[in-house]
Amino acid sequence: MQFLLAFIVAAPLLGAVAALLPAPPGLKGRSPEQAVLRHGVTVTGVILAAAIALALGFDHDAPSRFQATTDISWIPALDVRIHLGVDGISLPLLVMTALLFFLCALYSYFKLPAGPSPKAFVALLLVLESGTLATFAVLDLLLFFLAFEMVLIPMYFLIARWGGAQRQAAAWKFILYTLLGSVVMLLGLLLIGVTAGTFDMVALASDNGRELSHTTQLLAVLSIGLGLAVKTPMWPLHSWLPDAHTAAPTVGSVLLAGVLLKMGTYGFVRILLPVTPDGMATFAPYLGAFAAVGIIYGSLACLALARKGNKGDLKRLIAYSSVGHMGFVLLGIASMTPTGVNGALFANIAHGLITGLLFFLVGALKDRYGTADLDTLAGATGAALYGRAPRFGALLAFAAVASLGLPGLAGFWGEMLALFGAFDPAEGLPRAAFLTYTAIGAFGTLLTAAYLLVVVRRVCMGDPKAGPEIAVADVQRYEFAAWTPLVALTVLAGLWPALLLGLTDPAVQQLLAGGTS
């Protein structure tokens, strides 16, 4: 178990180096480009297998305890250690990350985005995977920061070199926003480490902020929270996200929504809630307010983009939907209750699965029609997916109803639990304010249903025989292979929520009580 977790974090880096080296003669095959893409599928597949083995070997009777731990001194002068471990909070995120990277590598093998060398594409993808996996596995504040920053450069180049229109501007906006947030976050992490005398996240969580004065906690929450809020992204620090999603290649959008956004909310749960509880209690009402505004803002932006005549880009629409969905995650965290935090963690996983599927589908739709413009897709002839490509249309409708929170699918439980947590927040938080946030969030679910049903009606419905005949390929085999796991897990998590909650709840209970998780 100890070896497995270290392997999961380090192996993608070794795979990235190998991707840049010349392939051995016997492995080149007919095409060197296909050989390096096959290498990406193989490495991410091995990482996924290791993550599944880690999950199977995990002691499910003690999910609040860190397992598969490695603790090695790295920089003795600063007491920085290579400290790795997983518990019930980080394990689902680790497995989902490994799954999404494997599916993206598999999809890219058959549908590589236009751009420079495939070697560079695969190497960047693997470096990105290592950084995201490390973020969910490290238990040292400075290592967390390094892993958090490690993902910026690969994602910048994936957008800037393999993206679509306006990719350079979107890539610069992405990295400037996130770097600025990271600088502020580093100051807060250093403040905690220097004041408490350790950067060890387990020791800091066990101390539960007793070594930190109220003023120190307030400063730490403000600075670290700003950095995490940019990555989440929280309204009004979200403006980099729609541009990045619109310009990014399909797999870039999938990973940005499915994995990178989760790093910010994970930081709130792993660091701020247990290490600075008094500071979080002070800022929780404001965090809840920003979350509630983000829910409504994201939904209204999506409704505006879905309206006829507004030339709304579907990728941009789904990006704005992420602002709303992540608002529910932040609202659950702001409640500072086990119910709300469990809902936030569940919504994180649900959003990764469902929005990852949506970006896959919209990317494939853009490949088929040459555009993601909703007015063009729903023009006089209409995309009419139900008639032209029924399996594709059914998948898009499924992803839409899952995203709007239909009971029985994964999207329902996270949002419901987050609202329940806000309805009865932790002791000391203003209940009247959180009741208002709950009402706003509940209204946001109606707006979410409205814009997603409008999208389904405009893209999937229509007369396939109207206007000139348009040949549209239905779901291909490689697409079926890449999308089916996301569909299956969305249904599984919706029908059997205890699969996730059984892992997260004991860890959350102990974390909020100032335990070792």
Side-chain angles (χ1 to χ4, degrees):
M1 290 284 285
Q2 181 183 20
F3 167 77
L4 269 180
L5 184 58
F7 174 79
I8 288 169
V9 172
L13 284 179
L14 300 177
V17 173
L20 297 174
L21 299 175
L27 298 179
K28 285 183 178 180
R30 296 182 179 179
S31 167
E33 290 188 358
Q34 290 300 102
V36 74
L37 293 173
R38 189 164 54 247
H39 169 78
V41 176
T42 302
V43 173
T44 55
V46 170
I47 298 302
L48 175 59
I52 293 172
L54 181 69
L56 293 175
F58 187 82
D59 184 358
H60 291 259
D61 292 328
S64 61
R65 176 172 57 85
F66 284 108
Q67 302 178 36
T69 56
T70 298
D71 192 2
I72 304 170
S73 179
W74 184 35
I75 308 176
L78 298 176
D79 193 28
V80 178
R81 309 182 68 82
I82 299 177
H83 193 182
L84 308 176
V86 290
D87 65 350
I89 292 173
S90 54
L91 182 64
L93 290 166
L94 201 77
V95 174
M96 184 184 72
T97 298
L99 172 66
L100 286 175
F101 271 94
F102 170 70
L103 297 181
C104 286
L106 180 65
Y107 188 85
S108 300
Y109 179 80
F110 295 95
K111 194 71 178 178
L112 181 69
S117 162
K119 281 191 171 187
F121 177 83
V122 171
L124 289 170
L125 199 68
L126 292 175
V127 172
L128 184 65
E129 181 176 24
S130 182
T132 51
L133 289 170
T135 301
F136 301 131
V138 298
L139 297 174
D140 183 276
L141 287 180
L142 290 186
L143 275 185
F144 177 86
F145 176 77
L146 292 177
F148 201 84
E149 295 305 288
M150 185 176 169
V151 305
L152 299 185
I153 299 302
M155 182 54 74
Y156 166 82
F157 280 110
L158 286 175
I159 297 172
R161 304 303 298 274
W162 284 270
Q166 304 297 320
R167 59 183 182 269
Q168 292 289 347
W172 274 108
K173 195 171 186 179
F174 161 75
I175 201 163
L176 288 176
Y177 263 75
T178 49
L179 274 177
L180 181 60
S182 297
V183 169
V184 179
M185 184 176 74
L186 177 61
L187 296 176
L189 295 174
L190 291 173
L191 175 64
I192 289 176
V194 171
T195 305
T198 180
F199 290 98
D200 187 86
M201 291 160 64
V202 179
L204 289 166
S206 300
D207 184 69
N208 203 218
R210 285 182 286 270
E211 292 293 325
L212 304 174
S213 68
H214 186 66
T215 302
T216 301
Q217 291 195 35
L218 289 178
L219 292 173
V221 171
L222 185 61
S223 55
I224 297 173
L226 279 173
L228 297 174
V230 170
K231 186 66 72 72
T232 298
M234 179 186 77
W235 178 91
L237 305 173
H238 67 283
S239 59
W240 62 268
L241 183 70
D243 292 338
H245 270 310
T246 305
T250 297
V251 295
S253 295
V254 171
L255 295 174
L256 190 57
V259 180
L260 267 68
L261 302 190
K262 311 302 174 284
M263 295 165 62
T265 51
Y266 175 76
F268 275 101
V269 174
R270 177 62 74 204
I271 299 174
L272 294 185
L273 281 178
V275 177
T276 56
D278 294 340
M280 272 297 292
T282 301
F283 281 106
Y286 304 102
L287 179 62
F290 284 121
V293 172
I295 292 170
I296 299 300
Y297 173 85
S299 299
L300 291 177
C302 290
L303 275 173
L305 289 170
R307 188 179 302 165
K308 185 177 180 180
N310 282 2
K311 306 297 271 183
D313 186 285
L314 266 180
K315 290 185 72 176
R316 195 172 189 85
L317 185 148
I318 298 171
Y320 273 111
S321 78
S322 292
V323 176
H325 287 305
M326 298 312 288
F328 283 102
V329 176
L330 290 173
L331 182 59
I333 294 171
S335 74
M336 298 185 69
T337 62
T339 301
V341 176
N342 275 305
L345 294 171
F346 199 104
N348 256 347
I349 298 297
H351 180 265
L353 298 173
I354 297 167
T355 307
L357 177 61
L358 277 169
F359 274 116
F360 268 135
L361 290 166
V362 172
L365 189 67
K366 186 174 182 179
D367 290 337
R368 284 162 168 77
Y369 282 91
T371 182
D373 180 80
L374 190 54
D375 283 344
T376 303
L377 293 172
T381 59
L385 288 181
Y386 287 154
R388 302 183 197 275
R391 289 189 293 274
F392 195 104
L395 275 174
L396 183 60
F398 169 84
V401 297
S403 184
L404 63 84
L406 184 73
L409 298 176
F412 170 74
W413 295 105
E415 293 182 2
M416 184 193 71
L417 290 173
L419 291 175
F420 279 177
F423 182 79
D424 188 17
E427 186 178 352
L429 298 182
R431 186 157 191 241
F434 275 87
L435 285 176
T436 304
Y437 305 154
T438 304
I440 293 172
F443 181 64
T445 61
L446 300 178
L447 295 178
T448 302
Y451 71 75
L452 285 168
L453 291 177
V454 168
V455 168
V456 170
R457 177 178 60 81
R458 298 191 70 194
V459 175
C460 295
M461 298 181 184
D463 184 2
K465 297 180 181 179
E469 185 65 27
I470 300 176
V472 180
D474 212 335
V475 179
Q476 304 296 298
R477 289 184 179 179
Y478 71 92
E479 293 172 332
F480 183 80
W483 302 343
T484 299
L486 300 179
V487 174
L489 289 173
T490 298
V491 174
L492 180 63
L495 296 178
W496 191 14
L499 187 67
L500 275 176
L501 294 175
L503 282 172
T504 62
D505 186 52
V508 168
Q509 295 277 359
Q510 195 161 334
L511 178 142
L512 292 177
T516 58
S517 178

